[in-house]
């Protein structure tokens, strides 16, 4: 799969899975997570790759309509045609990643941050989600030298709730990471599958699936397969034979993971992930011509671990009642 397509796909999955994973289309939250990728060896050359990451993100509702849940009862059907609401929100994220890369002698600190706005509009059986984001991902030296490049992304996704409760997602996502827009279709679904309505299945084409066991109203265990990766600006500092002061470092991998989520109080939930990363590639390219590959390294499969804490801002959720198909936690 070409990397350009892969990056865009990754963005699509992030946009589309917000709803499917119970992040819900509405409400505010603040999350902190710590990720560890223990060092894994390169496949065809000496060296290892690994990182730790601290990530802070917030979703802040700005303004929207009120009392749209009036008359709704607990357990009312999700596809309630009386559902009408809108909500605008702001999203902010900041991450710090000290990364160890085999051929460097020191750990390099990479930073990423993003800011965006989103609008959710609920109308009968549809929830429309529109978002626009701007972000940076670069190593500290690039930021200090004011060589930062911004990347833009946006999406328009329709979540259609069918009579049976299955949610179909379709729409389009854009990335402007390479100077020109790259649109990609989004096609996904979320479905409760039998077994006492305890299990749900969600997926986004072409390759992201998740099966969730809704153990009870507080606990949930999910198994997922999805692409993961990122692209950072890397300060060259004579590492590669090019005159460019900064190049792109693209990490591409797939993750098979188990995620346990525990909502331990009304507003707080804790998550623990353990995963296996495979089909891993680390690629360095010129920034202005990503076809010019400076180096490409295969990384052996390895584990990943993550713990996260999330605080949901107290408010009345306009769209989705508690205990419904989309457990908000
Ligand atoms: C920063 O990058 C990491 C690794 O790809 C990712 O998990 C995290 O969500 C990113 N954070 C932000 C704010 O973009
Ligand atoms: C790493 O250290 C070795 C010896 O300690 C040195 O020869 C090499 O040039 C260093 N590499 C970099 C990229 O600094
Ligand atoms: C980067 O920009 C800041 C603020 O504009 C300035 O103080 C700093 O000297 C610049 N750094 C370089 C290396 O140009």
């Amino acid at each position: 799969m070409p990397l350009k397509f892969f990056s865009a796909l990754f963005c699509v999955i992030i946009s589309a899975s917000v709803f499917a994973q119970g992040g819900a289309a509405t409400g505010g939250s603040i999350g902190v997570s710590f990720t560890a990728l223990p060092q894994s060896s390169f496949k065809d050359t000496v060296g290892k790759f690994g990182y730790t990451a601290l990530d802070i993100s917030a979703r802040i509702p700005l303004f929207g309509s009120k009392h749209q849940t009036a008359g709704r009862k607990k357990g009312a059907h999700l596809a309630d045609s009386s559902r009408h609401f809108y909500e605008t929100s702001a999203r902010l994220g900041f991450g710090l990643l000290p990364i160890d890369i085999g051929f460097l002698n020191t750990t390099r600190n990479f930073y990423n941050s993003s800011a965006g706005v989103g609008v959710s509009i609920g109308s009968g059986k549809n929830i429309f989600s529109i978002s626009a984001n701007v972000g940076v991902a670069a190593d500290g030296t690039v930021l200090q030298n004011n060589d930062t490049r911004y990347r833009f992304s946006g999406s328009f996704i329709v979540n259609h709730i069918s009579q049976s409760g299955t949610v179909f997602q379709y729409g389009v996502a854009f990335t402007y990471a390479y100077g020109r827009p790259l649109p990609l279709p989004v096609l996904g679904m979320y479905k409760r599958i039998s077994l006492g309505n305890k299990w749900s299945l969600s997926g986004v084409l072409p390759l992201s699936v998740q099966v969730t066991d809704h153990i009870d109203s507080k606990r949930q265990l999910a198994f997922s397969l999805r692409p993961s990766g990122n692209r950072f600006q890397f300060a060259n500092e004579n590492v590669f034979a090019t005159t460019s002061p900064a190049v792109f470092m693209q990490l591409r991998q797939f993750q098979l993971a188990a995620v346990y989520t525990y909502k331990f109080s009304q507003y707080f939930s804790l998550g623990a992930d353990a995963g296996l990363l495979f089909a891993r590639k680390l690629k360095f390219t010129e920034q202005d011509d990503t076809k010019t590959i400076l180096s490409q390294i295969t990384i052996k499969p390895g584990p990943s671990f993550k713990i996260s804490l999330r605080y949901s801002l107290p408010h009345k959720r306009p769209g989705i009642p508690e205990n419904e198909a989309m457990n908000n936690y």
Side-chain angles (χ1 to χ4, degrees):
M1 210 181 325
L3 271 162
K4 192 185 285 190
F5 175 73
F6 186 89
S7 315
L9 169 66
F10 186 54
C11 149
V12 167
I13 286 168
I14 291 193
S15 325
S17 61
V18 168
F19 192 82
Q21 283 174 36
T26 60
S29 62
I30 298 169
V32 182
S33 71
F34 179 77
T35 306
L37 264 71
Q39 297 202 6
S40 297
S41 301
F42 292 149
K43 194 158 167 267
D44 305 310
T45 172
V46 289
K48 290 179 173 188
F49 177 87
Y51 67 77
T52 52
L54 178 70
D55 214 77
I56 299 168
S57 64
R59 186 181 191 285
I60 307 143
L62 298 176
F63 56 89
S65 55
K66 296 206 171 71
H67 61 68
Q68 49 293 84
T69 49
R72 282 191 72 91
K73 285 196 293 273
K74 233 181 185 181
H77 198 275
L78 201 63
D80 189 341
S81 57
S82 68
R83 183 217 313 277
H84 287 284
F85 70 90
Y86 79 97
E87 187 193 82
T88 52
S89 60
R91 276 168 232 227
L92 294 170
F94 176 77
L96 163 66
L97 301 90
I99 305 185
D100 288 307
I101 309 165
F103 48 81
L104 301 179
N105 290 343
T106 52
T107 302
R108 278 215 195 176
N109 287 327
F110 288 80
Y111 301 85
N112 58 357
S113 67
S114 63
V117 287
V119 183
S120 290
I121 301 161
S123 174
K125 289 170 180 162
N126 296 309
I127 297 176
F128 303 95
S129 305
I130 304 149
S131 76
N133 299 283
V134 56
V136 295
D139 84 28
T141 312
V142 172
L143 297 174
Q144 269 169 23
N145 292 343
N146 301 333
D147 279 339
T148 317
R149 295 208 177 174
Y150 295 88
R151 54 193 192 188
F152 302 89
S153 63
S155 64
F156 174 80
I157 295 169
V158 181
N159 297 280
H160 178 78
I161 303 153
S162 76
Q163 205 59 48
S164 66
T166 303
V167 180
F168 294 99
Q169 300 174 303
Y170 50 92
V172 63
F174 299 92
T175 51
Y176 293 87
Y178 296 85
R180 62 192 144 108
L182 177 65
L184 262 190
V186 177
L187 211 52
M189 58 150 274
Y190 172 97
K191 185 178 174 50
R192 276 278 172 158
I193 48 180
S194 56
L195 299 163
N197 234 18
K198 249 171 57 85
W199 291 77
S200 68
L201 175 73
S202 62
V204 179
L205 285 179
L207 192 68
S208 168
V209 285
Q210 176 166 320
V211 180
T212 309
D213 178 4
H214 303 265
I215 302 166
D216 54 33
S217 62
K218 293 198 165 111
R219 293 173 302 153
Q220 176 163 316
L221 179 63
F223 300 94
S224 65
L225 172 68
R226 60 170 55 98
S228 102
N230 209 332
R231 194 206 59 200
F232 295 90
Q233 284 182 278
F234 175 97
N236 185 31
E237 295 175 334
N238 300 321
V239 175
F240 299 107
T242 170
T243 52
S244 316
V247 302
F248 278 148
M249 175 178 87
Q250 302 172 326
L251 173 66
R252 183 203 96 163
Q253 52 197 355
F254 281 87
Q255 188 189 38
L256 194 61
V259 187
Y260 180 79
T261 315
Y262 178 56
K263 187 176 166 183
F264 64 90
S265 81
Q266 193 180 357
Y267 301 120
F268 284 95
S269 63
L270 202 61
D273 300 27
L276 174 73
L277 297 162
F278 62 97
R280 309 172 76 184
K281 276 222 154 58
L282 188 65
K283 187 167 153 180
F284 294 85
T285 69
E286 288 285 1
Q287 292 193 114
D288 295 314
D289 177 13
T290 51
K291 287 198 180 78
T292 304
I293 297 164
L294 303 164
S295 174
Q296 188 163 359
I297 304 162
T298 304
I299 306 167
K300 286 186 180 166
S304 70
F305 303 96
K306 182 174 164 185
I307 49 168
S308 50
L309 179 69
R310 188 163 127 176
Y311 170 68
S312 300
L313 269 60
H315 96 302
K316 229 176 158 51
R317 296 198 183 274
I320 301 152
E322 296 286 340
N323 277 347
E324 265 298 345
M326 255 57 58
N327 277 336
N328 298 309
Y329 61 90

